Amino acid sequence: MFVERLREEMYDVISKERVLVLVTMNADALCACKILQWLFKCDNVEYTLLPVKGKDDLVKAYVDHAEQIKHVVLINCGGNMNILELLQPLDDVIFYIVDSHRPLDLDNVYNQDQIKILMKEGETLEIPDFDDIYASSDDEEEDEEGTPLKRRKTDDSESPHKSKKEKRLWAKKRQTTIYQYYENAFHGTSSAMVLYELSWKMSKDSNLLLWWSIVGLTDQLINERIDNEKYVSDAQRLHEHVLRLNHDTEEDGASINCMKISFDHELRLALYRHWSIFDSLCHSSFTACMFRVWTLKGKRRLHEFLAELGLPLHQCQQKFSAMDVALRNSLKDSIVDIAEKYGLEEIMFGSFNVQLGYKNKLCASDVVFAVTALLENSTEEGKTFSDNFLDALDALTWCSSGLEKLQNGLELSKKHLVAIWNQVHSFISMHQIVCAGPFLYAHVREGAPDVQVFSTPINVTRLARFVLNCYVIMSKNKRAATLPFVLAAPLDPETGTCIVVGIPPVADDTRKNFLGRAFEMAAEKTKARSRHDHCEPAGNE
């Protein structure tokens, strides 16, 4: 079920017929989609491309095209849900899943006929043994809720009939194994990296495809889907490709349209090349929390930091490109020199830049912010999520219209960052973060400024992480760093729905699924109350 020989087991198979490609709404998925589109274009493969936001979109997209499609590629979606149960496909339909979400659904993992999971070569996953999860044909047993356990297709003669005690012990072990497998949510290798490896093995890779792969990996880092160790490991692999494709050339061989990718150490400041240094410092979560810029003392410390850098305030508050050239060129070194004094040791990270001819350089993190903003554009009337998807897809294209879309995305991203910061300041100053025992929670009120910005998953998640970090720094509660955080924001005022996100504790590196122990405790209390009242517990607690 795991496909490592991507060309032979996947690409050569799907390239013979029309393919349905379903892509979720994040930058990594879009970059993976662009790489696959390029390969399809090279080989004249017919395909249908559709964006999906959730299960309903996934089901609708498949049902609408089920009659004419036998191969379906799912990019950053479908891996953690039972695809066959959800879509009810015919037996001859094959799904190719390239999804960084972990853990993968076990029904997908153990289906060898219709589910093919694309993996980076060498990547390993801890998957439970088949016999620990699925009962053999003569050992069908009901679990605690009365649901029959899934059967393994074997002959009755393959295993002896087990006693009821053995069945109970097996069922108990199964429940424990399943709980431990699904307990922690995390992300694996970027989908864009997986498909770039495919293009490389097919000898069809280029700087453009490599750049998309870099942006996909950077998206995982910027949105905290992977830790620094995983990022460094994958970035090192991409750096090898950068050196291979960007070796020095003769001057007379250079072109004004030549794409050049380089590795460099980058500041952990959002969009500072397209903003002012002062605004970037104030609206980047890392520096805003370190300086506590929502307080008068924090603002004074920020001004002290800028003064020690030798940056006049009027230089800091104008656009970066308009700053004095000498100050611009020495900025990184100056910050590194005094970073330890201000607790900013981690303000630098390894990243990649791209330059097309003699145009300005673009950092991978800038592209991530721009593409994400276009995907999460919820404030422009008349825009559907399909329109946003196409705009973001265009922004990854190196043409005049694409670069224009990218610039629009940069400006929109700055507006989103300002809206996020304003809401953080409101939460902190109005003391709207509440401790509910096992977890913290807050909600964005209807009618709040820029409330529409928080009706999208990535923006509301960024807001939640920003708020939690600020609260932990400011709170006198010693338990604050060990508590998860729940944030709700209005989704659709007409239907009265909201979007809810759960963030793991700052001190918890395991990235527990949902809210870990907080939800367990709530469920245990509900069950205990139900037994006490002699009533049936809720169906899904």
Side-chain angles (χ1 to χ4, degrees):
M1 71 295 294
F2 291 115
V3 178
E4 288 191 353
R5 297 169 62 240
L6 301 179
R7 179 174 183 173
E8 296 83 354
E9 298 180 49
M10 178 260 192
Y11 189 81
D12 288 347
V13 177
I14 68 174
S15 60
K16 298 174 183 177
E17 299 181 40
R18 189 175 189 87
V19 185
L20 175 62
V21 182
L22 304 179
V23 186
T24 196
M25 300 283 282
N26 63 50
D28 177 36
L30 261 70
C31 290
C33 173
K34 292 293 289 187
I35 295 173
L36 191 61
Q37 281 184 299
W38 177 269
L39 295 178
F40 285 169
K41 182 180 179 180
C42 291
D43 296 316
N44 296 316
V45 178
E46 294 184 348
Y47 66 95
T48 300
L49 174 64
L50 292 171
V52 295
K53 290 197 300 183
K55 287 184 179 180
D56 292 342
D57 294 327
L58 190 61
V59 172
K60 185 179 185 304
Y62 175 73
V63 170
D64 289 346
H65 297 83
E67 294 183 359
Q68 55 183 342
I69 295 294
K70 299 301 179 185
H71 299 289
V72 183
V73 178
L74 304 172
I75 301 181
N76 272 359
C77 59
N80 55 359
M81 61 184 73
N82 189 337
I83 285 296
L84 299 187
E85 184 178 83
L86 180 67
L87 302 181
Q88 300 293 319
L90 298 177
D91 292 341
D92 59 347
V93 178
I94 301 178
F95 296 88
Y96 297 88
I97 300 176
V98 50
D99 191 354
S100 62
H101 291 92
R102 303 287 185 270
L104 297 167
D105 187 273
L106 287 175
D107 291 287
N108 292 340
V109 170
Y110 286 117
N111 187 299
Q112 300 183 11
D113 299 324
Q114 290 185 264
I115 305 292
K116 306 295 181 183
I117 300 173
L118 278 59
M119 301 280 290
K120 177 187 174 185
E121 185 175 353
E123 184 176 3
T124 58
L125 296 175
E126 295 182 5
I127 304 296
D129 291 337
F130 185 96
D131 292 331
D132 290 340
I133 304 298
Y134 300 105
S136 57
S137 58
D138 61 342
D139 292 331
E140 184 178 2
E141 178 68 35
E142 291 188 350
D143 63 16
E144 295 175 358
E145 298 178 355
T147 304
L149 300 178
K150 298 186 177 182
R151 296 182 177 185
R152 181 180 181 181
K153 295 180 180 179
T154 59
D155 296 331
D156 291 341
S157 59
E158 288 188 7
S159 59
H161 184 73
K162 294 182 180 179
S163 67
K164 290 185 177 180
K165 181 179 179 181
E166 289 175 320
K167 289 180 180 180
R168 286 196 299 270
L169 291 174
W170 180 88
K172 184 177 180 180
K173 180 182 178 182
R174 175 182 183 273
Q175 293 291 344
T176 301
T177 302
I178 289 176
Y179 174 80
Q180 291 175 345
Y181 177 74
Y182 287 114
E183 180 182 14
N184 298 325
F186 60 102
H187 284 77
T189 301
S190 155
S191 295
M193 277 194 67
V194 173
L195 291 182
Y196 176 74
E197 292 285 332
L198 169 63
S199 69
W200 173 56
K201 290 176 181 177
M202 295 174 63
S203 300
K204 294 181 179 179
D205 62 321
S206 65
N207 258 343
L208 183 58
L209 273 63
L210 176 58
W211 177 246
W212 288 332
S213 177
I214 289 169
V215 174
L217 172 61
T218 308
D219 173 57
Q220 288 192 310
L221 178 70
I222 295 296
N223 292 299
E224 300 185 34
R225 300 192 187 104
I226 57 175
D227 57 24
N228 286 330
E229 184 179 354
K230 172 67 173 171
Y231 172 77
V232 170
S233 174
D234 287 347
Q236 186 173 9
R237 174 62 175 159
L238 291 179
H239 189 206
E240 295 173 1
H241 289 291
V242 169
L243 294 176
R244 177 174 60 86
L245 294 174
N246 292 270
H247 51 79
D248 293 334
T249 58
E250 298 293 335
E251 289 186 6
D252 56 2
S255 168
I256 60 172
N257 294 318
C258 178
M259 174 183 272
K260 184 80 171 177
I261 301 176
S262 59
F263 177 84
D264 197 3
H265 287 89
E266 189 61 40
L267 292 171
R268 204 179 294 270
L269 298 178
L271 304 174
Y272 73 92
R273 286 189 180 88
H274 311 275
W275 217 348
S276 69
I277 287 294
F278 186 82
D279 283 332
S280 183
L281 284 165
C282 289
H283 296 96
S284 299
S285 175
F286 176 70
T287 49
C289 290
M290 294 304 296
F291 286 111
R292 306 185 187 189
V293 295
W294 56 87
T295 65
L296 290 175
K297 184 178 179 180
K299 290 179 181 178
R300 286 197 298 268
R301 187 166 174 79
L302 175 59
H303 283 84
E304 176 189 325
F305 171 74
L306 294 172
E308 193 161 347
L309 286 176
L311 295 177
L313 200 56
H314 72 275
Q315 289 279 348
C316 300
Q317 292 180 336
Q318 63 182 333
K319 199 165 183 177
F320 182 79
S321 58
M323 286 177 60
D324 182 87
V325 176
L327 294 176
R328 280 204 322 251
N329 294 339
S330 63
L331 179 64
K332 289 183 184 179
D333 293 336
S334 301
I335 290 178
V336 169
D337 290 340
I338 63 172
E340 186 175 356
K341 177 180 177 180
Y342 291 89
L344 302 174
E345 294 91 343
E346 298 180 0
I347 198 170
M348 300 290 289
F349 71 102
S351 186
F352 299 87
N353 295 318
V354 66
Q355 187 166 11
L356 187 66
Y358 301 109
K359 296 180 181 178
N360 292 333
K361 286 185 178 180
L362 271 175
C363 180
S365 59
D366 295 338
V367 177
V368 169
F369 277 111
V371 170
T372 301
L374 292 171
L375 286 172
E376 304 253 301
N377 184 6
S378 57
T379 57
E380 192 173 339
E381 292 185 8
K383 282 275 189 179
T384 65
F385 81 93
S386 295
D387 294 330
N388 292 343
F389 177 83
L390 294 175
D391 286 346
L393 212 57
D394 286 344
L396 290 169
T397 305
W398 288 96
C399 62
S400 57
S401 61
L403 293 175
E404 182 181 350
K405 290 284 177 61
L406 185 64
Q407 186 60 43
N408 293 339
L410 291 170
E411 296 302 317
L412 185 59
S413 182
K414 288 188 281 188
K415 293 178 181 178
H416 288 178
L417 290 172
V418 170
I420 289 172
W421 160 241
N422 289 338
Q423 187 60 54
V424 170
H425 187 265
S426 175
F427 277 145
I428 297 296
S429 60
M430 300 296 291
H431 305 287
Q432 294 177 336
I433 303 167
V434 180
C435 181
F439 62 91
L440 304 166
Y441 77 89
H443 68 276
V444 180
R445 303 179 187 278
E446 290 187 19
D450 301 311
V451 66
Q452 283 184 295
V453 171
F454 310 115
S455 63
T456 55
I458 297 179
N459 278 339
V460 75
T461 302
R462 284 179 178 172
L463 173 62
R465 289 200 178 99
F466 204 155
V467 171
L468 181 59
N469 288 334
C470 291
Y471 180 81
V472 169
I473 288 174
M474 294 294 294
S475 177
K476 296 179 181 179
N477 184 356
K478 295 180 180 180
R479 293 178 59 242
T482 64
L483 297 177
F485 178 56
V486 181
L487 178 66
L491 180 62
D492 187 348
E494 294 182 1
T495 59
T497 55
C498 66
I499 182 170
V500 181
V501 61
I503 301 298
V506 171
D508 182 11
D509 295 329
T510 59
R511 300 272 178 182
K512 288 200 171 182
N513 211 353
F514 298 110
L515 290 174
R517 186 58 185 160
F519 282 164
E520 291 175 39
M521 293 173 65
E524 289 170 2
K525 289 180 181 179
T526 304
K527 289 180 180 179
R529 192 182 308 114
S530 299
R531 288 193 295 267
H532 181 267
D533 295 339
H534 302 286
C535 64
E536 291 295 325
N540 185 5
E541 299 169 327

